[in-house]
Amino acid sequence: MIQTLRENKKLQGLLLILPTLLWMFGLLIIPLILTFVTSFGGRSADGNVIYRFSLNNYLRLIGLTPEGGFDPLYLQIIWRSLTLAFQTTILVILMAYPLAYFIARAPAKRRNTLLFLVLVPLWTNFVIRIYAWIMILRTQGVLNSVIGWLVGLAGGHFQPFELYPSQSAVLIGMVYEFLPFMILPIYTSLEKIDNSLFEAAADLGANALRTFWRVTLPLSMPGVVAGTILVFVPVIGTFIVSDILGGRQVILVGNLIQRQFLDARDPAFGSAASIFLMLMTLIVTLYYTRRFGFGEEIAAA
Amino acid sequence: MAEYAVELRDISKRFPGPSGELVTAVRNVTMQIRDGEFFSMLGPSGCGKTTSLRMIAGFELPTEGEVYIHGKPMGKTPPFQRPVNTVFQNYALFPHMTIGENVAFGLQMDGVPKSEIMARVKQALEMVRLPGYEKRRARQLSGGQQQRVALARSLVKRPEVLLLDEPLGALDLKLRKDMQLELKKLQREVGITFIYVTHDQEEALTMSDRIAVMSGGVTLQVGNANEIYERPNCKFVADFIGETNFLQGKVTEQNGKAVTLALAGGLTVHAEAEQSLANGTEASVAVRPEKVNLTGHAGAANQFTGRIVSVVYIGTDTYYGVRLPGDQLLRAREQNDRPDSRPMAAEGDEVTISFSTQAARVLTE
Amino acid sequence: MSSTKRSPWITLSALLIYFFLYAPIVVLIVFAFNSSKTNIVFEGVVNQGACGPFYWFCKLFSNDDVLDAAKNTLTIAFISTIVSAIIGTMAALALQRYDFPVKRASEAALYIPIVIPEIVMGIGILVFFSALFTWFNSTFGLVGDGRLAMGLGTVIVSHIAFSIPFVTLVVRARLHGFDKSLEEAAMDLGANEFTTFRRVTFPLIAPGVLSGALLAFTLSLDDFIITFFTTGPGSTTLPIYVYGLLRRIVTPEVNALSTIWILTVLIVVFISQRLEARR
């Protein structure tokens, strides 16, 4: 038997991949297929799934009621999720780029420490980090207290911001949570750029700004693209940030799905929303990978 | 004891290529390597020499044919059960072990007692002139030293055959020359059969008892240095080992080994052939540049008049390019051994060149 | 990229972003010492009971729920890390070294958890387990406490599922530059396949496996979404517990918990960095 195994490389490979396949099959493929099947089902009076084939759940998502009317409620939720995901991604890029650039241009021996400092907040807990933002953003919170104190010193009167709970608070929370996921890949691609390219650009007469536009930025695009996927995918599907910082008023696709499974007890509709979310994400991701290609940067991050 | 240390009987190896088609790396190779000899497989990259070596080591299994080690067919015997050891091109020293641990590894695998391992490792490192290096790590050693550790690691197991896969390829020229002599000396001392793979013809000629010249997955010629150099059996061997002039012609007469050929430009050349050739056969005459005299010898069988078209001075020797009638080019190599060492001729000079019948070999393939 | 003169604007914005990254953490820690129970306004350093300024920390340690949650979190993280490190390393070896029929499909499957939102995977697993358990319980007539239900087991199995791809990715990167002649050398010197793996291959890829495992451990500790959908009674983790608290009243106990968490993680990371630097 050992002899057979020794000679059969295919069998060796298959045996090594077998547990992974079992796991991916049982906890990824079958669940996704089941979700897909469930998404065509309905809801019984006691909240159980009725398996059947009906497009009702999907029609409901895009606003068509069974009675033939139009209700944009879910389209608004989808639109809000997309807007918030794009806003978050853009803000994160704008903040991550200068910091990644700063680290990449720091003396080599300090780079690891500076990068490490970006990672430390990630190692605190996701939920706890959002909770910290409640303390900062609430009306009597840290932010308003500090500003109020400063304005008071100047003799003025300060009307506190009412940031929590609100969609802005959700945006701030999302940017905070996912900023490190953008900094890492951008840094990785900036760090890889050969220094002689800058010298060549300078030698050819480009000034600092033109060097940035024509050399640095294009060469760091793979990092930006990888970071965009690492940020966009979790942001579009999250429900805790909006749940905690939006005070249950900012409903996103993630919240919609979660509620179907917990409060509303309509798993079939929740499954349809989930499949819809997955397709939406895959389309964006595929567009990106086709357009720019990525993989290496994600691995590096 | 079997007659041969290693015997390859009609072995072939095919690999699946990048697009699924089968690529033949070794084609029907048969070779006998005698006990205690220094045997080289020589050829350009991709000629099948490394694949052949890997089939002896057991890293690859032949698609067809059989490898025998001391008369025993190896079949599908895995590398760790074969009585051979390999010295790798990149040395393959284990980076996470000390030099001592590297050398001891093979003995541990054989279940040699600890006390004996220590003594044999020490002895092996002394043999390769690295005494007391046990505690160091591979990356702290120079290329030449790593090379010697790799040798010690293989030799400490006292294999029946040692396989060396371009072991000197990564060293600089000077070190390589020293190591060549050292390896040859070592082989004589330990008396183990060495099978040595190289693409460097000079290296093969310097060290080997016998050489197999390979190209395109087949063995072209097997013989000692002198045979390979003086009596190449085909144009590839003549060209690959050293330098050769080829003159194209047609056979007009054969008398035993002596052959007369007619060249372009109305020249007649007298040469030697091993095989019998029909009149009118197209053939090449191979002449080594150092066997061409730039001054005519009255008694020489071949004497031609030509014009010098190039003079290249390379220190010990000078090359003269001579254009013969019929537009054939011939290179002559003359040693710069006269006190004044001035060139014997200048570009444009008309000269008479000569070479003997024995210096000219007729090759058809 | 090398260090060159930087524009002061870059430096300034970098400092501001570092401030943004650390402000919430500082706030968290400071409020762990708040004397106000409602934890909205900082009303001065607490000084109560035997523990003085560490009042909330002491209170935390007498809270069985928190201790249970901490125990669950660590149990889940340890088991899922060990299992996913082993399975992920095997997968990395298979994908990097071998050719087999389902290779491309396996690679694609391993990318899915990275490119789809976690909630999709989470509810998929929920749907799967509830269907499986309902079927199983009714088929085998299991009742009461004997029924299969969501709990530590389902959480662990799910954490393993999302950790495998990340471990595989990290270990594959390590295997990418692996010199195969080292393994051939070991076999040439008489080591069989198993000994070769134990003495040569594994020691050389161990740093990769370790960083993969560390990543899996961090992902497991931090995970909320998958845990949320696969947890059951008695398998509450710290993130789930804190989330539950946020919906009721939050006392500085949560801050004390966070402070301990942050310090623990920092110590663990510091030690592992030290170990890494030494090799």
Side-chain angles (χ1 to χ4, degrees):
Chain A
M1 204 190 84
I2 289 175
Q3 194 64 35
T4 324
L5 189 58
R6 183 170 284 151
E7 283 161 33
N8 197 334
K9 293 272 172 199
K10 271 190 182 134
L11 193 63
Q12 289 174 23
L14 274 174
L15 281 177
L16 284 171
I17 200 79
L18 190 68
T20 302
L21 281 184
L22 275 177
W23 235 277
M24 289 298 129
F25 205 69
L27 283 124
L28 187 70
I29 310 296
I30 291 181
L32 285 181
I33 292 171
L34 263 175
T35 311
F36 188 68
V37 171
T38 312
S39 73
F40 297 106
R43 174 181 186 268
S44 71
D46 55 350
N48 285 326
V49 183
I50 302 167
Y51 291 99
R52 59 172 185 209
F53 182 79
S54 137
L55 287 172
N56 278 353
N57 291 323
Y58 290 98
L59 294 175
R60 225 174 114 195
L61 264 182
I62 59 167
L64 302 173
T65 60
E67 297 79 36
F70 180 72
D71 178 3
L73 174 66
Y74 300 121
L75 281 181
Q76 280 165 357
I77 291 175
I78 291 162
W79 180 245
R80 190 183 298 132
S81 298
L82 276 172
T83 324
L84 210 55
F86 280 117
Q87 284 170 346
T88 305
T89 309
I90 289 164
L91 277 175
V92 163
I93 294 174
L94 290 179
M95 289 173 75
Y97 205 101
L99 188 58
Y101 191 83
F102 173 81
I103 300 174
R105 294 227 139 176
K109 58 176 191 284
R110 290 228 318 258
R111 278 179 215 162
N112 275 339
T113 314
L114 289 170
L115 212 57
F116 182 69
L117 285 176
V118 171
L119 290 175
V120 169
L122 269 188
W123 287 317
T124 67
N125 191 272
F126 193 93
V127 181
I128 289 172
R129 290 195 296 266
I130 312 174
Y131 161 61
W133 279 101
I134 300 183
M135 293 198 291
I136 295 176
L137 295 177
R138 68 178 7 147
T139 314
Q140 309 104 300
V142 178
L143 184 70
N144 280 325
S145 310
V146 171
I147 297 176
W149 178 69
L150 286 173
V151 173
L153 277 185
H157 174 75
F158 173 64
Q159 179 66 38
F161 297 119
E162 297 202 354
L163 278 169
Y164 167 81
S166 74
Q167 190 161 327
S168 310
V170 176
L171 184 59
I172 293 171
M174 298 246 213
V175 168
Y176 183 77
E177 290 288 3
F178 298 105
L179 186 58
F181 293 99
M182 185 66 81
I183 294 172
L184 289 182
I186 296 183
Y187 165 77
T188 309
S189 57
L190 279 175
E191 206 261 333
K192 269 198 304 209
I193 301 176
D194 188 345
N195 210 41
S196 60
L197 291 176
F198 298 111
E199 289 164 6
D203 186 57
L204 295 166
N207 62 22
L209 199 64
R210 285 189 65 140
T211 304
F212 179 80
W213 270 116
R214 301 289 297 275
V215 180
T216 317
L217 195 60
L219 286 174
S220 60
M221 272 316 277
V224 177
V225 173
T228 301
I229 287 164
L230 287 176
V231 171
F232 186 84
V233 173
V235 165
I236 191 119
T238 190
F239 64 89
I240 3 174
V241 183
S242 44
D243 203 18
I244 299 174
L245 290 175
R248 313 214 89 201
Q249 289 146 32
V250 182
I251 298 168
L252 303 178
V253 179
N255 303 85
L256 176 68
I257 297 171
Q258 181 222 5
R259 284 178 198 188
Q260 302 314 312
F261 283 91
L262 290 150
D263 311 336
R265 294 199 65 82
D266 190 351
F269 183 56
S271 297
S274 179
I275 294 289
F276 190 88
L277 172 66
M278 183 177 78
L279 291 178
M280 203 159 70
T281 316
L282 283 180
I283 288 167
V284 174
T285 320
L286 269 181
Y287 172 78
Y288 258 87
T289 36
R290 280 283 147 78
R291 179 101 195 253
F292 303 98
F294 84 110
E296 213 182 321
E297 265 72 20
I298 288 190
Chain B
M1 204 64 166
E3 190 183 351
Y4 299 116
V6 174
E7 193 181 356
L8 307 182
R9 263 188 224 162
D10 205 22
I11 58 167
S12 296
K13 179 70 186 179
R14 285 184 286 275
F15 290 108
S19 48
E21 80 286 3
L22 284 178
V23 177
T24 306
V26 172
R27 195 189 308 264
N28 305 100
V29 163
T30 295
M31 245 182 240
Q32 284 101 15
I33 294 137
R34 294 174 198 135
D35 219 11
E37 85 176 330
F38 195 122
F39 187 90
S40 289
M41 296 187 195
L42 172 66
S45 67
C47 71
K49 57 189 191 301
T50 295
T51 307
S52 302
L53 195 79
R54 290 173 61 81
M55 285 192 279
I56 301 172
F59 303 136
E60 314 282 353
L61 295 175
T63 318
E64 282 153 22
E66 186 71 274
V67 175
Y68 295 82
I69 298 177
H70 280 126
K72 251 192 284 174
M74 282 296 118
K76 287 169 178 173
T77 311
F80 48 87
Q81 288 166 0
R82 296 193 181 203
V84 299
N85 286 115
T86 308
V87 175
F88 290 82
Q89 188 170 10
N90 60 356
Y91 323 131
L93 298 182
F94 305 128
H96 58 299
M97 299 182 195
T98 62
I99 296 307
E101 287 164 349
N102 262 283
V103 179
F105 188 88
L107 297 177
Q108 289 168 359
M109 294 302 120
D110 290 353
V112 176
K114 250 195 178 131
S115 51
E116 195 190 327
I117 291 182
M118 295 255 287
R120 277 172 70 176
V121 168
K122 189 164 175 284
Q123 190 192 349
L125 285 174
E126 276 163 7
M127 181 178 67
V128 295
R129 299 191 289 110
L130 289 172
Y133 274 62
E134 280 92 340
K135 292 273 175 283
R136 308 229 192 154
R137 290 197 176 254
R139 60 169 181 274
Q140 298 168 315
L141 268 54
S142 71
Q145 289 173 326
Q146 291 186 30
Q147 170 58 67
R148 296 211 292 267
V149 174
L151 264 171
R153 188 175 69 174
S154 296
L155 286 174
V156 78
K157 289 199 64 170
R158 298 171 189 154
E160 292 172 17
V161 179
L162 186 71
L163 310 173
L164 302 101
D165 184 8
E166 307 229 13
L168 308 182
L171 303 180
D172 60 49
L173 186 66
K174 183 88 176 65
L175 195 55
R176 199 154 70 215
K177 299 260 183 208
D178 294 345
M179 280 301 292
Q180 282 173 12
L181 298 174
E182 205 172 310
L183 263 180
K184 181 71 192 160
K185 195 169 141 258
L186 197 64
Q187 193 257 342
R188 290 237 177 83
E189 281 167 16
V190 296
I192 292 172
T193 312
F194 274 33
I195 304 181
Y196 192 96
V197 157
T198 180
H199 65 272
D200 183 336
Q201 41 120 347
E202 199 187 321
E203 199 168 285
L205 294 177
T206 313
M207 306 164 76
S208 320
D209 296 322
R210 285 195 310 143
I211 300 164
V213 184
M214 297 183 72
S215 171
V218 299
T219 319
L220 296 173
Q221 188 172 1
V222 182
N224 64 29
N226 186 276
E227 286 164 349
I228 298 271
Y229 188 81
E230 300 291 343
R231 294 197 295 281
N233 65 359
C234 65
K235 283 187 340 200
F236 181 88
V237 174
D239 199 32
F240 188 74
I241 314 287
E243 296 164 291
T244 304
N245 290 299
F246 289 112
L247 300 170
Q248 305 300 325
K250 274 199 178 88
V251 176
T252 54
E253 195 191 331
Q254 183 172 25
N255 191 356
K257 279 176 106 180
V259 180
T260 310
L261 296 98
L263 305 187
L267 302 179
T268 304
V269 66
H270 303 283
E272 281 191 348
E274 309 275 333
Q275 68 278 49
S276 70
L277 300 156
N279 283 356
T281 309
E282 293 269 1
S284 297
V285 178
V287 191
R288 300 280 187 196
E290 72 272 16
K291 303 207 165 154
V292 177
N293 284 312
L294 208 56
T295 46
H297 270 276
N302 299 296
Q303 285 220 43
F304 305 118
T305 306
R307 196 170 289 282
I308 303 275
V309 291
S310 64
V311 178
V312 179
Y313 175 80
I314 57 157
T316 54
D317 300 75
T318 302
Y319 282 100
Y320 300 89
V322 183
R323 190 181 301 281
L324 301 180
D327 226 23
Q328 304 230 45
L329 264 179
L330 204 62
R331 266 153 76 86
R333 179 173 174 159
E334 292 287 349
Q335 221 179 329
N336 296 325
D337 53 357
R338 282 150 299 117
D340 62 352
S341 68
R342 283 222 311 272
M344 294 165 73
E347 246 175 75
D349 286 0
E350 188 159 286
V351 289
T352 304
I353 56 142
S354 64
F355 53 91
S356 66
T357 311
Q358 293 80 25
R361 279 183 70 80
V362 181
L363 299 172
T364 50
E365 44 184 74
Chain C
M1 215 175 196
S2 80
S3 62
T4 39
K5 234 177 66 193
R6 293 184 296 259
S7 134
W9 293 109
I10 297 282
T11 311
L12 183 67
S13 49
L15 285 175
L16 282 174
I17 294 161
Y18 274 122
F19 177 76
F20 176 70
L21 284 171
Y22 280 89
I25 290 166
V26 173
V27 169
L28 266 179
I29 295 174
V30 169
F31 274 65
F33 301 94
N34 195 355
S35 61
S36 156
K37 191 176 158 60
T38 52
N39 211 22
I40 293 171
V41 179
F42 193 79
E43 292 175 354
V45 176
V46 66
N47 195 351
Q48 209 175 327
C51 304
F54 294 99
Y55 173 74
W56 298 112
F57 290 82
C58 291
K59 212 157 169 257
L60 180 74
F61 280 109
S62 55
N63 185 336
D64 284 344
D65 289 347
V66 176
L67 295 181
D68 277 348
K71 205 182 91 199
N72 285 338
T73 310
L74 289 174
T75 309
I76 294 164
F78 272 113
I79 299 178
S80 67
T81 298
I82 291 167
V83 177
S84 62
I86 294 169
I87 296 180
T89 303
M90 286 168 69
L93 283 167
L95 295 173
Q96 202 64 27
R97 297 267 179 95
Y98 294 93
D99 231 357
F100 47 91
V102 287
K103 187 170 177 172
R104 292 191 70 102
S106 315
E107 279 183 312
L110 281 169
Y111 260 103
I112 296 176
I114 302 175
V115 295
I116 64 168
E118 227 181 321
I119 192 173
V120 175
M121 194 166 159
I123 71 123
I125 296 174
L126 171 67
V127 169
F128 171 62
F129 277 135
S130 38
L132 183 72
F133 290 165
T134 309
W135 171 80
F136 198 88
N137 291 335
S138 67
T139 308
F140 295 95
L142 303 177
V143 286
D145 283 349
R147 283 178 305 174
L148 291 180
M150 299 291 211
L152 270 186
T154 47
V155 178
I156 290 171
V157 162
S158 312
H159 279 215
I160 294 168
F162 71 70
S163 296
I164 291 172
F166 291 95
V167 175
T168 308
L169 213 60
V170 174
V171 178
R172 272 188 90 171
R174 179 86 193 180
L175 276 171
H176 189 67
F178 194 93
D179 180 6
K180 278 206 87 172
S181 64
L182 292 173
E183 286 169 342
E184 288 180 347
M187 293 185 82
D188 188 70
L189 293 167
N192 62 25
E193 290 90 345
F194 178 72
T195 312
T196 301
F197 183 79
R198 193 172 57 86
R199 295 282 310 267
V200 176
T201 318
F202 188 73
L204 289 173
I205 64 168
V209 176
L210 199 70
S211 27
L214 209 63
L215 180 61
F217 193 73
T218 323
L219 288 173
S220 173
L221 279 186
D222 200 35
D223 182 73
F224 179 83
I225 297 182
I226 301 267
T227 315
F228 183 82
F229 287 111
T230 50
T231 193
S235 61
T236 303
T237 62
L238 281 175
I240 302 283
Y241 177 74
V242 175
Y243 179 73
L245 282 185
L246 289 181
R247 308 183 120 207
R248 299 193 301 267
I249 177 154
V250 189
T251 63
E253 271 176 276
V254 177
N255 296 64
L257 174 65
S258 319
T259 306
I260 293 172
W261 182 295
I262 294 166
L263 289 179
T264 312
V265 169
L266 274 180
I267 290 166
V268 169
V269 168
F270 184 75
I271 292 171
S272 67
Q273 294 263 321
R274 264 296 159 89
L275 287 176
E276 186 76 12
R278 253 205 296 179
R279 54 173 69 239

